[in-house]
Amino acid sequence: MQWHHKDVDRIFSELKTSPRGLSSDEAAARLKQFGPNILIEKKKKSPFIMFLYQFRDFMILVLIVAAVISGFIGELSDTIAIVVIVVINAVIGFVQEYRAEKAMEALKKMAAPTATVLRDGQPGTAPASELVPGDLVVLEAGRIVPADMRLVETAHMKVEEAALTGESVPVEKHTEVLPDEDVPLGDRGNMAYKGTFVTSGRGMGVVAETAMKTEFGKIAAMLQEEEEVKTPLQKRMTIFGRKLALAVLVICAVVLGIGLLRGEPPMLMLLTAISLAVAAIPEALPAVITISLAIGAKKLIRQNALIRKLPAVETLGSVTYICSDKTGTLTLNRMTVEELYINGRIVHAGDFAPGEGEENAGRLLMMALALSNDAQAGNGGEILGDPTETALFDIAGRYGFNKAELEKRHRRVAEIPFDSDRKCMTTFHEWNSGFVSFTKGAMDILLEKSADMMLPEGRSAVDCCEIQRVNETMAVDGLRVLYIAMRRWDHLPEDMSHGNIEKELTLIGLVGMIDPPRKEAGEAVAMCRTAGIRTVMITGDHPVTARAIAEKLGILDGDGMAVVTGRELDQLSIEEFEERVEDIRVYARVAPEQKLKIVKALQEKGQYIAVTGDGVNDAPALKRADIGIAMGITGTDVSKEAAHMILLDDNFASIVKAVKEGRMIYDNIRKFIRYLLTTNSGEILTLFLAPVLGLPIPLLPIQILWINLITDGLPALALSAEPAEGDIMTRPPRHPQESIFSGGIGAHAIWVGLLMAGIVIFVQFWSIRSEISNWQTIVFTILCLTQLGHVLAIRSERQSLFRIGLFSNRYLLGAVLFTFLFQMATVYVPILNPIFKTEPLTLVELLFTLALSSIVFFAVELEKFFKRRKTAVSQAY
Ligand code: ATP
C-alpha cells in the first residue's frame, strides 16, 4: 500500500475512519479482525521442555545411566530411589525457573508501551498492542511510534528513524501527499513508522498498518536474535562453577580410586562417586542467581521500581551517587501559582484584579496564560496536561479567562512547542486584523530577548535589574518563575524558526509557582547520607529556586557544597569539572544533554551512578549511567526504553527503597552462595577424607543424593526471604567490582566444611570402634542436621541468631523444621529404612546426634562474635 501517495481524505475513507477516530466498538471489532499490534516473538520453551531441560546436565545423565545399569545387576529399589530423587530435584528446579520466567513476563508486560489514541472523538490511553488500522494516534516528543501511520497533523514534528533507515539525524515530518509512488522509506516525510521515535514537536497520525505488516515487523525476524544479557554475577559464577566442577570431579575420581583399592564393590563405588559429583557440583548456581534476581525484580515492584534490565537488581546496592531530577521526583509536581508580578508590583495570586481594556497588562497576562497553554479541560471538569500548564490554565480560568472561549476569537494558528533546551514555548493567535505571539518560559532566557515591558503608564524599556530582583525575591522562597511575553505581528512570519520568532519581545509579567518538595524525599535524602550515597539534584529551574528546594530537602548538606549552573558547567574544562564534581550537589538551568557530562565525570572519579530522566534528551545519560532510571508517569517512551529501571510513582523515595531492596537481594544471594558452598564442601570433604584416613565410605549414594536434595532445596530457597539486616542502610555501598566471595566466604566454606567432615568422621570412627551397628544412620543424620544448624547461623553475616530472633524468617524456620522431619522420617518410618539403608536410633543416640550436629551452629556463631569484636576494637581506635 502506498499510503504516502494518498491524500488524507482518501486515507480516511479507505480506512473507514474520521478525524474523530474510530468508535470503541469498531476498534474492538477490528482488533479481532487484525489481531494485536505486536511483533510475533520467538517461540518460548514450553513448560514440558523446560522440565526436560532440568536433565540436560551431563552428570545427572551419567548418574541416571549408572543407576539403571546397577539396577540390572544389583538392587532395583536403589535405582528407583535414585531416579525418584533426581526427578524431585528436577521438579524443584523447574518450579523455580518457571516462577522466574513468569516474574520476567509480568515485568515485561508492565513495561509495555501505551499510546494516546482518539476514539469516539475523545483522547485516551490504550496499550499500543490494541491499536488497529484506522485509529487516530497523537504523537509527542519522546513517543515511540506504535504502528505505521500516515500523518494528518504535524507541528514541528521531527522523527528519528535510525531503527529503520540507519539515519540518526531526525527528519522533519509533514502531512503533504508525495507525488511519487516509489519513494524510499527514509524520504516518506508524511509517514511515521513503528519503532521510530518523535524527538521534538507534536503530530497526529492515522494508523495504516499494525503488527507484522509494519515496516518494522517485516524486518523483525532479523531483530529477534537478541542474546540474553548475563549479569556480571552470573558471568563470574559460570566461570567459578566450571573451575569448581573440575576440582570436584578430580576429588570424585580419587574417592573412586581409593574405594576400589580398598576392595569396595566397583558398581557401588561408581555410583557413590557420581552421586557425589551430582551433589557437590554447583551446576545450578548461575541459574539460581538468575532466579533470585528475577524474583527480586518482581519484589521491587512493591517499591514502585520496575526493572527492565536484570543486572540492575544486582548493582543497585553499589550506587554511590543518585543524580535526580527535581520536578516530580524530589518535588510533588503539583504546581500552584502563588504570586504574580504585573504592572511593576508583586501581588498574591489570590488578590489579583485583571482589569479591563485591550492593552491592560493584567488582562493580557491572563489571556496569555489561557491561550498559550497545552492543558485541556477533561469531561469531568478536571484539567489535563503538564502540571505547569494546568496551574496556569487553572489561574486564568479562576479569573474568567476560559481557554476554549478565548480560542473562538483567537485561534491558535502556529506554535513552537516547549523544549527543555530552549526552556520556553511560543504560540501564535489571531488578534483583530493581525496576529499575536505569546512566549512563556525561563526568565533568564527570555529577558535577553525582550525589548520592552508593560507598566501602568505604558510600555517602557525593560528594566533588567528590577526583573532580576523580582525573580530573586520569588525564587528564594522556592518558587518557579515563568516569564510571560508577547509580540504583535501583521502577518504570520515566513521564517518560523525560534531564532526569528522569540526576540524583540514585550514582557507582560512574571508568574511565581510553588511545587512543594515531597515530604518522604527529605527522609530518603537523609537515609542516603547514612548509607554513604550522595544525592545530587539536577534541574532546569533557576539556581536560586533550586538552592531553596535543595536546602529544604537537606541536599546541600555541608560547607563547600556547590550549586552550579548549566552555563558555568559549559565553561569548565573536563579536567576542571572532574576536580570539582564531587563537591557539587545542585545543577541548575542545565540542559538534559549536560546530564551525560555529569554522569561521565562522576564515573571517571570511580563513582557508581544512578541517574533519573524523563525526556528524549535524557536517553544518552540514562544509558550511560550504571543505573538509568526513567519516570513511569511523566517519562517518555524513549527514556523508558533507554533505562535500566522505571520508577512507577516518579518518587525519589522509591529509588532509595529500591537501593535498600537491592542491597538486601544481593546480601541474600551471598548468604545462599555461602550456604551452598559450605554444604557442598562439607559433603565432599567427608567423602574424600574418610577413605583417605582408612575408614569405609561413610555414605551410600542414595544418602548423598538425599542430603543434597533436602538441604539444598527448601532451606536454601528460604534464605531469599531473609529480611534486611539492621545495618543495611548505615553501611557504605558495596564496591561494584567486589567479589561475591569477599568477606571470607571461601575461607568460611573450607573451615566449616572441614569442621563438618571432622565431626562426621570422628563419629564414624568412634561408632565403628564401639561396634555400634547403625553407625551409618548416625553419620547420615549428623551430616544432614549440621547443614540446618549452619543455615540458621548464617542468616546474618555478623549478628547473632539470638539477636535477630529465630522467628524473623518464618520461611526458613519452617524449612528447617520440615527438613528435620523429613530426615527423621528416613530414620523412623519403617518402610523408608530399607530404601535409605537406615535403622531407627535410640533416644540416647538421637540426643547424641543432635548435640554433635549443633556444634557447627555454635562454631559459626563464635566466628560472628569474633568478627563483631574485631570491628568494635578497630572502631575504638
Ligand atoms: P527537572 O527539574 O525535572 O529537570 P524541570 O521542570 O525543572 O525539570 P524543565 O521542564 O526542562 O525542567 O523546565 C525548565 C524550565 O523551562 C523551567 O524552569 C521553566 O522556566 C521553563 N518551563 C517549564 N515548563 C514550561 C512550560 N510548560 N512552558 C514554558 N516554560 C516552561
Side-chain angles (χ1 to χ4, degrees):
M1 283 283 188
Q2 308 293 338
W3 301 105
H4 57 276
H5 185 54
K6 297 175 183 170
D7 68 25
V8 173
D9 290 337
R10 190 153 155 223
I11 299 266
F12 276 129
S13 77
E14 270 187 29
L15 289 166
K16 296 198 186 61
T17 183
S18 75
R20 284 176 53 80
L22 297 171
S23 68
S24 306
D25 293 342
E26 178 60 23
R30 289 193 193 185
L31 187 60
K32 272 204 191 119
Q33 184 190 346
F34 292 97
N37 175 32
I38 46 174
L39 302 182
I40 294 168
E41 285 187 23
K42 240 191 325 196
K43 259 216 156 351
K44 285 223 192 74
K45 267 191 272 172
S46 71
F48 179 65
I49 300 286
M50 202 190 265
F51 177 68
L52 283 188
Y53 256 61
Q54 307 296 323
F55 297 96
R56 88 205 124 154
D57 179 36
F58 179 67
M59 283 320 292
I60 292 200
L61 292 179
V62 173
L63 176 66
I64 294 175
V65 172
V68 170
I69 296 173
S70 96
F72 277 119
I73 50 179
E75 263 185 81
L76 198 63
S77 67
D78 260 6
T79 313
I80 296 172
I82 289 177
V83 171
V84 168
I85 288 188
V86 169
V87 170
I88 297 177
N89 229 334
V91 170
I92 295 177
F94 163 75
V95 170
Q96 278 175 277
E97 199 179 319
Y98 190 73
R99 270 180 66 202
E101 177 123 353
K102 287 279 156 221
M104 290 308 288
E105 258 174 39
L107 294 187
K108 249 195 198 157
K109 236 182 229 156
M110 287 188 72
T114 56
T116 310
V117 54
L118 212 64
R119 288 197 180 144
D120 303 309
Q122 290 294 325
T125 308
S129 60
E130 288 176 15
L131 291 181
V132 289
D135 261 330
L136 269 177
V137 175
V138 179
L139 295 170
E140 292 158 322
R143 279 279 184 196
I144 293 182
V145 180
D148 284 2
M149 289 184 228
R150 170 71 162 85
L151 296 169
V152 294
E153 208 181 289
T154 54
H156 296 267
M157 186 171 129
K158 284 192 176 167
V159 176
E160 211 246 59
E161 299 184 325
L164 273 185
T165 61
E167 173 59 62
S168 61
V169 180
V171 277
E172 178 111 29
K173 292 288 175 180
H174 58 81
T175 57
E176 256 95 276
V177 186
L178 300 183
D180 288 338
E181 265 185 54
D182 206 13
V183 183
L185 275 189
D187 295 336
R188 295 185 193 169
N190 57 8
M191 296 287 296
Y193 290 102
K194 184 177 173 75
T196 62
F197 66 88
V198 185
T199 56
S200 57
R202 298 192 297 118
M204 185 159 3
V206 52
V207 173
E209 307 281 3
T210 58
M212 295 306 278
K213 288 211 177 112
T214 58
E215 294 298 328
F216 198 67
K218 290 181 197 158
I219 57 165
M222 290 185 243
L223 302 167
Q224 296 230 343
E225 303 308 319
E226 210 175 287
E227 272 277 303
E228 236 171 80
V229 238
K230 280 206 165 139
T231 77
L233 192 55
Q234 275 175 303
K235 282 188 209 148
R236 265 183 268 156
M237 286 322 284
T238 311
I239 297 171
F240 169 76
R242 262 186 227 138
K243 284 188 195 153
L244 198 66
L246 210 66
V248 171
L249 283 178
V250 170
I251 294 182
C252 290
V254 175
V255 171
L256 178 68
I258 300 179
L260 292 177
L261 285 179
R262 282 174 53 93
E264 308 262 7
M267 205 56 214
L268 175 70
M269 273 325 297
L270 189 68
L271 266 185
T272 307
I274 301 172
S275 303
L276 183 58
V278 167
I281 294 177
E283 74 289 331
L285 216 48
V288 170
I289 289 172
T290 317
I291 291 164
S292 307
L293 293 176
I295 293 173
K298 199 168 162 210
K299 275 197 210 146
L300 275 164
I301 295 180
R302 270 187 258 147
Q303 314 297 351
N304 283 315
L306 177 63
I307 297 293
R308 286 197 67 250
K309 295 177 186 157
L310 210 48
V313 183
E314 181 187 315
T315 46
L316 265 172
S318 296
V319 166
T320 57
Y321 267 79
I322 304 179
C323 301
S324 172
D325 284 336
K326 174 178 74 67
T327 309
T329 313
L330 288 164
T331 65
L332 288 166
N333 205 8
R334 240 177 260 145
M335 302 269 180
T336 338
V337 177
E338 284 274 300
E339 291 177 349
L340 300 168
Y341 172 76
I342 187 85
N343 281 328
R345 286 193 313 125
I346 297 181
V347 286
H348 191 267
D351 319 324
F352 169 65
E356 293 293 324
E358 270 286 299
E359 282 299 300
N360 179 292
R363 188 168 167 272
L364 278 171
L365 180 72
M366 288 299 138
M367 291 186 89
L369 297 187
L371 285 166
S372 186
N373 197 310
D374 288 331
Q376 279 178 5
N379 279 345
E382 73 284 18
I383 313 172
L384 308 171
D386 170 81
T388 304
E389 299 285 287
T390 54
L392 302 177
F393 186 99
D394 179 52
I395 181 118
R398 274 197 275 147
Y399 284 105
F401 292 82
N402 179 291
K403 182 181 172 190
E405 285 295 313
L406 290 172
E407 271 183 341
K408 287 184 192 147
R409 274 204 305 133
H410 304 291
R411 210 163 53 89
R412 188 190 286 196
V413 285
E415 67 190 280
I416 310 179
F418 173 74
D419 106 44
S420 25
D421 282 328
R422 273 174 34 253
K423 300 188 175 39
C424 63
M425 65 180 270
T426 299
T427 54
F428 276 80
H429 303 270
E430 290 168 345
W431 210 267
N432 303 331
S433 53
F435 299 91
V436 154
S437 64
F438 289 119
T439 301
K440 69 181 203 295
M443 186 277 308
D444 32 350
I445 308 283
L446 296 180
L447 187 58
E448 296 165 0
K449 301 181 173 167
S450 298
D452 51 12
M453 63 191 279
M454 289 189 174
L455 287 172
E457 55 277 16
R459 293 184 184 207
S460 74
V462 67
D463 179 351
C464 291
C465 294
E466 162 74 355
I467 300 302
Q468 263 155 356
R469 189 193 59 78
V470 172
N471 176 63
E472 190 95 0
T473 315
M474 289 183 172
V476 274
D477 293 333
L479 295 190
R480 158 178 284 193
V481 184
L482 273 198
Y483 189 100
I484 318 291
M486 65 183 282
R487 189 173 168 189
R488 289 187 187 277
W489 305 82
D490 295 332
H491 311 282
L492 273 187
E494 291 226 327
D495 176 3
M496 268 288 178
S497 67
H498 61 84
N500 185 43
I501 308 290
E502 290 161 353
K503 64 178 190 189
E504 294 165 29
L505 304 172
T506 302
L507 165 66
I508 315 175
L510 303 178
V511 178
M513 288 183 285
I514 185 89
D515 175 19
R518 288 177 185 267
K519 195 177 130 287
E520 62 278 24
E523 290 155 17
V525 170
M527 191 187 274
C528 281
R529 194 168 317 122
T530 59
I533 303 167
R534 291 173 188 168
T535 312
V536 170
M537 182 168 110
I538 302 181
T539 173
D541 256 341
H542 193 274
V544 181
T545 313
R547 177 184 278 277
I549 302 279
E551 271 166 3
K552 276 190 197 157
L553 287 166
I555 289 175
L556 279 167
D557 53 353
D559 297 338
M561 294 302 132
V563 179
V564 163
T565 64
R567 215 172 271 184
E568 289 161 355
L569 189 58
D570 268 344
Q571 283 157 4
L572 292 177
S573 71
I574 298 285
E575 293 75 29
E576 285 168 325
F577 180 43
E578 274 171 20
E579 205 146 285
R580 292 187 55 194
V581 67
E582 286 174 311
D583 294 331
I584 303 173
R585 290 288 180 277
V586 177
Y587 294 88
R589 279 285 186 253
V590 285
E593 292 82 7
Q594 290 178 311
K595 267 190 194 168
L596 185 62
K597 187 171 174 182
I598 301 169
V599 170
K600 278 185 181 166
L602 282 170
Q603 281 178 334
E604 207 50 49
K605 284 282 177 189
Q607 302 293 350
Y608 209 72
I609 323 294
V611 72
T612 70
D614 49 13
V616 182
N617 303 343
D618 287 329
L622 291 178
K623 260 195 195 146
R624 169 73 191 234
D626 300 289
I627 306 228
I629 306 170
M631 296 297 129
I633 304 171
T634 55
T636 55
D637 297 347
V638 176
S639 64
K640 289 180 187 166
E641 193 71 20
H644 303 88
M645 183 171 116
I646 299 174
L647 212 53
L648 295 175
D649 61 352
D650 291 12
N651 188 345
F652 178 79
S654 303
I655 306 178
V656 183
K657 283 192 201 146
V659 168
K660 182 175 170 193
E661 190 87 23
R663 286 187 176 192
M664 188 181 86
I665 294 169
Y666 191 85
D667 274 3
N668 289 350
I669 292 181
R670 259 174 71 92
K671 285 173 195 169
F672 179 83
I673 291 177
R674 181 190 289 264
Y675 175 66
L676 216 64
L677 289 185
T678 312
T679 309
N680 290 3
S681 133
E683 289 164 13
I684 200 141
L685 287 170
T686 304
L687 278 121
F688 173 66
L689 293 178
V692 169
L693 295 173
L695 291 167
I697 304 284
L699 297 173
L700 294 167
I702 180 82
Q703 294 171 338
I704 300 172
L705 292 171
W706 172 255
I707 292 181
N708 183 51
L709 173 74
I710 62 168
T711 60
D712 273 12
L714 284 180
L717 208 65
L719 272 180
S720 68
E722 195 54 42
E725 297 211 22
D727 67 343
I728 196 138
M729 287 306 263
T730 49
R731 62 167 118 115
R734 167 179 59 83
H735 193 281
Q737 252 78 54
E738 184 186 284
S739 150
I740 184 96
F741 304 113
S742 70
I745 288 193
H748 175 95
I750 291 172
W751 84 254
V752 179
L754 275 172
L755 180 64
M756 287 174 181
I759 297 169
V760 171
I761 292 170
F762 165 74
V763 173
Q764 185 190 10
F765 172 73
W766 179 81
S767 342
I768 292 175
R769 254 191 45 173
S770 318
E771 293 178 0
I772 295 175
S773 64
N774 58 353
W775 66 265
Q776 200 162 40
T777 308
I778 299 179
V779 164
F780 172 45
T781 308
I782 289 182
L783 191 58
C784 176
L785 299 190
T786 47
Q787 315 297 344
L788 302 185
H790 181 237
V791 79
L792 286 174
I794 59 156
R795 280 188 46 202
S796 167
E797 287 212 14
R798 311 173 58 80
Q799 289 304 328
S800 118
L801 176 69
F802 304 106
R803 198 180 171 118
I804 58 173
L806 196 58
F807 294 96
S808 52
N809 182 351
R810 284 167 197 270
Y811 290 107
L812 188 76
L813 194 62
V816 166
L817 284 178
F818 241 127
T819 310
F820 177 74
L821 290 179
F822 270 127
Q823 180 62 24
M824 289 299 108
T826 64
V827 178
Y828 290 108
V829 175
I831 50 162
L832 296 179
N833 290 145
I835 298 175
F836 290 97
K837 312 283 183 297
T838 46
E839 287 168 40
L841 301 175
T842 64
L843 185 63
V844 175
E845 284 166 347
L846 179 66
L847 291 176
F848 168 75
T849 306
L850 290 178
L852 283 169
S853 303
S854 62
I855 292 178
V856 168
F857 169 78
F858 289 110
V860 176
E861 283 293 342
L862 207 63
E863 180 197 26
K864 292 193 292 182
F865 171 76
F866 283 120
K867 257 194 201 170
R868 289 195 297 272
R869 222 177 63 163
K870 202 169 130 199
T871 339
V873 171
S874 67
Q875 272 168 0
Y877 286 96

